[in-house]
């Protein structure tokens, strides 16, 4: 016997019987609302100048690409690449510099910066490859798992992820000959990432097993504060990266619960940067284009964002790569390479297939960077630097008409790229004092600005309700 | 909201300007109106970019944008007003024939 009001009784109580009938046809499926062939990212409003494309703007040779061992990056193998002696010397320098700048009250490295940095890393949700054990599955509720078309699922997951704090969202279908190669062969902790014909994922001391049936990847951005990034390369700048990772741990955990609640797998990053190559998956999902940074540049936030992902067996309609003229613009721009204090970034005009060292993953035509130079600078300043992010013309806050105009022009034609770069040089001429560790923008001013947006992020990007 | 107020103000001032030039019998050629509209376009762009860059907390860029767009606005405005003034004073100084 029903324990609540019938729909008729409920509407009658509200006096909405007529209105309810009128509104009923509004409930249509996602596939009806979105033209999937021409879609950019479901639900979200991408800027009008963002074009989708069958292939990314970065050439990929899938035959040459192999599944990558994450720990081969300088994150995991820096000491091996530069030698123990240099590694030890840099560790000593890092400690000495951070200590000296703290005691000198150097802007961006003061006690309050350090305290906020530590605080920012707190309160993160548990992070794991496998879904938590206490999930409420449909089985527990006595119903069958959620079913719907891949398009409906993509719309639903996008809505959920936006609600949980993601910026832009896209989906990649894993294909063993192509996109599956973007899933790591070994995670940062050197555990082997096996893709096997099993029903359930498992994890032990040496291995993480991904069932073959889990063939879809949700990829999403979590934007960083552009204003805080301007304090690069200080501790204050670094903490916006830290905040993004902290926020994402909650997003990941909640998405795992959500997918489990629908009756599906949600395999997350076991640790920071685990599971798969974020910029590559972001590129395939159409969240942005690869760039001279050898990182993703998004149309919405430029490079000032982080990219995360989760593998699932819930079929999701893949989103297409984009072409907004960004990679093309990088060929004439080179501003990040100029700004970079360690000269780690490529000054070449064209991308190349030739990697710069064993820290680069081959198989794509890119502006490969010398990661050891970058990492050595990080160690000297004791942070993750970010000066190249502050240089990028696409990393602006996009309130001024000029930014929209530039982006639309860059997307339409490369003819004006040099002129637009020249204008950007006038607008953003570079750090006034590029001495080691000196901030691009004064962190003390940041500490006096009390009206930055929540988390420093313009969350109205892609909003359709206003 | 500010843009709405500005739009209304521009409309009212524009209407008044047309009425005033007619009342004063000041001859304004179509290309002089065009130059004035271009000047107004640049001025509006300068204004939007200036305030938006300030909101973006980039006062230096705001100043650069004001110069980049404000100077053409001024140049077009000066040419438009100058042409109108020159042509009307020229007409006034030219002795009437067969009178
Ligand atoms: S993070 Fe700093 S050191 Fe590394 S590439 Fe960017 S600017 Fe250069
Ligand atoms: S600064 Fe210029 S070259 Fe570097 S990533 Fe941005 S657009 Fe590309």
């Amino acid at each position: 016997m029903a324990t609540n009001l019938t729909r008729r009784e409920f509407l009658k109580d509200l006096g909405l019987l007529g209105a309810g009938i009128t509104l009923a046809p509004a409930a249509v499926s996602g596939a009806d609302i979105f033209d999937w062939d021409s879609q950019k990212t479901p639900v979200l409003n991408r800027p009008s100048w963002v074009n989708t494309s069958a292939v990314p703007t970065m050439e990929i040779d899938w035959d040459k690409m192999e599944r990558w061992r994450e720990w081969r990056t300088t994150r995991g193998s820096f000491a091996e690449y530069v030698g123990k002696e240099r590694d030890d010397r840099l560790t000593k320098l890092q400690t000495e510099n951070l200590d000296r700048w703290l005691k000198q009250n150097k802007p961006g490295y003061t006690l309050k910066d350090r305290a906020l940095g530590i605080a920012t890393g707190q309160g993160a949700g548990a992070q794991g490859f496998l879904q938590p054990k206490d999930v409420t599955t449909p089985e527990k509720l006595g119903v069958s798992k959620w079913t719907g078309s891949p398009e409906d699922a993509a719309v639903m997951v996008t809505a959920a992820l936006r609600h949980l704090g993601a910026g832009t969202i896209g989906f990649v279908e894993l294909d063993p000959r192509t996109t599956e190669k973007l899933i790591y062969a070994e995670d940062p902790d050197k555990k082997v990432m096996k893709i096997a014909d099993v029903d359930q994922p498992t994890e032990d001391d040496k291995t993480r097993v991904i069932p073959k049936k889990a063939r879809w990847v949700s990829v999403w951005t979590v934007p960083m504060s552009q204003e805080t990034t301007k304090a690069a390369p200080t501790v204050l700048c670094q903490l916006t990266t830290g905040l993004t990772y902290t926020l994402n741990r909650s997003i990941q955990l909640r998405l795992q619960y959500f997918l489990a609640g629908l009756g599906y797998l949600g395999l997350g990053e076991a640790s920071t940067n685990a599971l798969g190559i974020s910029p590559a998956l972001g590129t395939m999902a159409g969240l942005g284009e690869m760039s001279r940074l050898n990182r993703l540049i998004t149309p919405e936030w430029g490079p000032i964002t982080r990219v995360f992902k989760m593998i699932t067996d819930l079929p999701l309609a893949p989103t297409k790569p984009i072409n907004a003229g960004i990679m093309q613009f990088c060929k004439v721009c080179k501003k990040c390479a100029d700004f970079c204090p360690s000269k780690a970034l490529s000054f070449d005009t064209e991308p190349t297939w030739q990697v710069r060292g064993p820290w680069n993953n081959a198989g794509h035509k890119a502006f490969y960077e010398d990661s050891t130079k970058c990492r050595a600078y990080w160690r000297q300043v004791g942070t993750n630097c970010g000066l190249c992010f502050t240089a990028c013309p696409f990393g602006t806050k996009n309130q001024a008409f000029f930014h929209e105009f530039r982006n639309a022009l860059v997307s339409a034609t490369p003819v004006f790229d040099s002129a637009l770069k020249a204008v950007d040089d006038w607008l953003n001429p570079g750090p006034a004092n590029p001495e080691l560790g000196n901030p691009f923008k004064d962190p003390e001013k940041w500490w006096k600005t009390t009206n930055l947006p929540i988390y420093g992020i313009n969350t109205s990007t892609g909003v359709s309700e206003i | 909201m500010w843009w709405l107020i500005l739009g209304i103000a521009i409309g009212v001032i524009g209407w008044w300007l047309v009425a005033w030039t007619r009342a004063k019998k000041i001859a304004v050629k179509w290309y002089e109106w065009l130059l004035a509209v271009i000047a107004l376009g640049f001025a509006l762009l300068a204004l939007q970019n200036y305030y938006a860059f300030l909101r973006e907390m980039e006062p230096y860029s705001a100043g650069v944008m004001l110069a980049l767009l404000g100077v053409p606005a001024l140049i077009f405005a000066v040419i438009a007003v100058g042409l109108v003034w020159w042509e009307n004073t020229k007409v006034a100084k030219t002795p009437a024939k067969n009178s």
Side-chain angles (χ1 to χ4, degrees):
Chain A
M1 194 177 111
T3 54
N4 59 354
L5 297 176
T6 64
R7 177 176 150 80
R8 194 174 178 79
E9 286 166 333
F10 177 72
L11 292 173
K12 199 175 158 206
D13 276 2
L14 290 174
L16 283 177
L17 203 54
I21 293 162
T22 331
L23 291 173
V28 291
S29 77
D32 294 334
I33 300 169
F34 303 103
D35 172 4
W36 220 262
D37 274 350
S38 63
Q39 59 78 33
K40 290 162 180 180
T41 296
V43 182
L44 294 183
N45 293 326
R46 301 304 291 273
S48 56
W49 38 267
V50 177
N51 303 309
T52 51
S53 158
V55 288
T57 49
M58 172 193 61
E59 283 182 62
I60 305 169
D61 185 342
W62 290 109
D63 293 335
K64 289 220 173 71
M65 191 176 285
E66 285 174 10
R67 285 178 62 206
W68 179 242
R69 289 170 294 166
E70 200 281 344
W71 55 270
R72 294 304 294 162
T73 63
T74 48
R75 270 188 292 271
S77 299
F78 182 69
E80 183 196 317
Y81 297 143
V82 299
K84 186 169 177 337
E85 204 180 312
R86 183 155 156 74
D87 186 43
D88 288 346
R89 163 119 183 81
L90 285 165
T91 306
K92 194 164 165 274
L93 258 179
Q94 171 169 336
T95 315
E96 281 172 8
N97 284 341
L98 282 178
D99 192 47
R100 186 159 43 91
W101 293 338
L102 172 69
K103 287 176 182 148
Q104 285 173 348
N105 251 337
K106 185 178 170 86
Y109 302 87
T110 65
L111 186 62
K112 58 182 183 287
D113 300 294
R114 296 276 289 268
L116 189 59
I118 292 165
T120 297
Q122 310 309 308
Q127 185 170 21
F129 168 69
L130 299 175
Q131 277 154 307
K133 295 223 161 24
D134 62 343
V135 290
T136 308
T137 58
E139 212 177 12
K140 279 188 195 165
L141 295 174
V143 294
S144 46
K145 59 159 63 176
W146 182 89
T147 51
S149 71
E151 289 77 15
D152 281 342
V155 172
M156 176 179 65
V157 171
T158 300
L161 266 169
R162 263 298 264 204
H163 185 69
L164 295 177
T168 44
I169 297 110
F171 305 101
V172 176
E173 186 167 355
L174 296 179
D175 178 330
R177 290 159 304 163
T178 56
T179 44
E180 192 179 282
K181 296 183 180 183
L182 305 178
I183 303 302
Y184 289 133
E186 290 176 28
D187 247 352
D189 57 5
K190 298 195 176 174
K191 285 193 188 182
V192 175
M193 305 289 282
K194 255 194 202 159
I195 299 173
D197 218 346
V198 293
D199 187 52
Q200 287 303 313
T202 52
E203 178 172 3
D204 59 29
D205 290 350
K206 293 199 169 64
T207 323
R208 295 192 172 96
V209 180
I210 302 166
K212 262 189 190 155
K213 67 174 181 179
R215 323 187 31 74
W216 293 272
V217 189
S218 300
V219 196
W220 64 91
T221 55
V222 178
M224 289 153 57
S225 161
Q226 283 147 323
E227 191 56 29
T228 317
T229 303
K230 292 269 159 117
T234 67
V235 171
L236 180 63
C237 165
Q238 172 166 269
L239 62 82
T240 187
T241 309
L243 181 63
T244 312
Y245 283 118
T246 310
L247 291 173
N248 187 66
R249 282 178 64 164
S250 300
I251 295 172
Q252 166 167 311
L253 183 65
R254 288 166 184 164
L255 184 61
Q256 285 179 317
Y257 271 96
F258 176 63
L259 289 170
L262 297 172
Y264 293 90
L265 296 173
L267 307 175
E269 301 176 2
S271 61
T272 302
N273 290 318
L275 198 65
I277 309 171
S278 292
L281 286 163
T283 303
M284 296 311 295
L287 300 185
E289 287 181 58
M290 287 297 278
S291 65
R292 185 173 294 281
L293 300 167
N294 206 13
R295 300 282 179 279
L296 195 76
I297 294 203
T298 64
E300 290 82 3
W301 300 282
I304 307 183
T305 181
R306 249 59 207 183
V307 186
F308 303 95
K309 61 273 167 191
M310 184 175 292
I311 297 176
T312 180
D313 58 345
L314 170 66
L316 294 159
T319 46
K320 288 179 185 164
I322 60 162
N323 182 356
I326 295 171
M327 185 61 154
Q328 182 66 34
F329 187 83
C330 282
K331 293 179 185 174
V332 299
C333 176
K334 304 183 184 175
K335 200 160 177 175
C336 48
D338 274 330
F339 265 44
C340 174
S342 69
K343 298 291 164 252
L345 299 174
S346 166
F347 279 94
D348 294 345
T349 299
E350 289 295 328
T352 169
W353 296 102
Q354 193 59 47
V355 297
R356 296 273 290 271
W359 49 83
N360 291 138
N361 184 19
H364 60 295
K365 204 173 175 190
F367 290 110
Y368 288 106
E369 78 284 25
D370 186 338
S371 284
T372 54
K373 285 186 181 170
C374 172
R375 201 40 73 155
Y377 187 81
W378 286 23
R379 297 287 286 280
Q380 287 174 70
V381 291
T383 68
N384 68 344
C385 180
L387 276 166
C388 47
F389 279 28
T390 68
C392 187
F394 297 110
T396 44
K397 289 178 201 143
N398 295 344
Q399 296 204 31
F401 172 79
F402 172 72
H403 304 311
E404 279 291 308
F405 174 73
R406 177 205 54 213
N407 293 345
L409 213 54
V410 165
S411 183
T413 170
V415 172
F416 303 105
D417 285 356
S418 300
L420 290 169
K421 154 75 167 50
V423 174
D424 193 82
D425 285 343
W426 289 332
L427 295 171
N428 182 13
N433 181 359
E435 196 184 301
L436 182 75
N438 272 12
F440 178 74
K441 237 178 152 178
D442 184 8
E444 290 305 314
K445 271 199 187 144
W446 185 95
W447 278 104
K448 290 187 176 66
T449 311
T450 52
N451 57 351
L452 282 179
I454 295 168
Y455 300 130
I457 303 162
N458 177 7
T459 52
S460 67
T461 304
V463 169
S464 56
E465 67 181 8
I466 49 171
Chain B
M1 188 60 185
W2 285 112
W3 288 106
L4 179 68
I5 295 168
L6 193 65
I8 294 169
I10 289 169
V12 169
I13 292 169
W15 177 82
W16 173 81
L17 201 64
V18 173
W20 183 77
T21 50
R22 283 192 184 158
K24 294 277 173 191
K25 298 206 169 24
I26 299 170
V28 185
K29 303 261 169 46
W30 67 267
Y31 54 83
E32 289 157 351
W33 284 119
L34 182 68
L35 286 169
V37 169
I38 293 172
L40 179 68
F42 270 108
L44 288 175
L45 280 176
L47 206 66
Q48 197 282 337
N49 281 283
Y50 179 72
Y51 282 109
F53 269 108
L54 285 184
R55 270 206 316 277
E56 290 182 13
M57 301 177 68
E58 302 293 349
Y60 177 81
S61 308
V64 172
M65 266 299 166
L66 192 62
L68 277 179
L69 296 163
V71 170
L74 266 180
I75 292 172
F76 279 108
V78 167
I79 295 174
V81 174
L83 275 177
V84 172
W85 179 81
W86 183 72
E87 279 173 3
N88 281 279
T89 48
K90 190 179 71 178
V91 169
K93 278 180 190 163
T94 310
K97 289 175 189 168
N98 308 325
S99 58

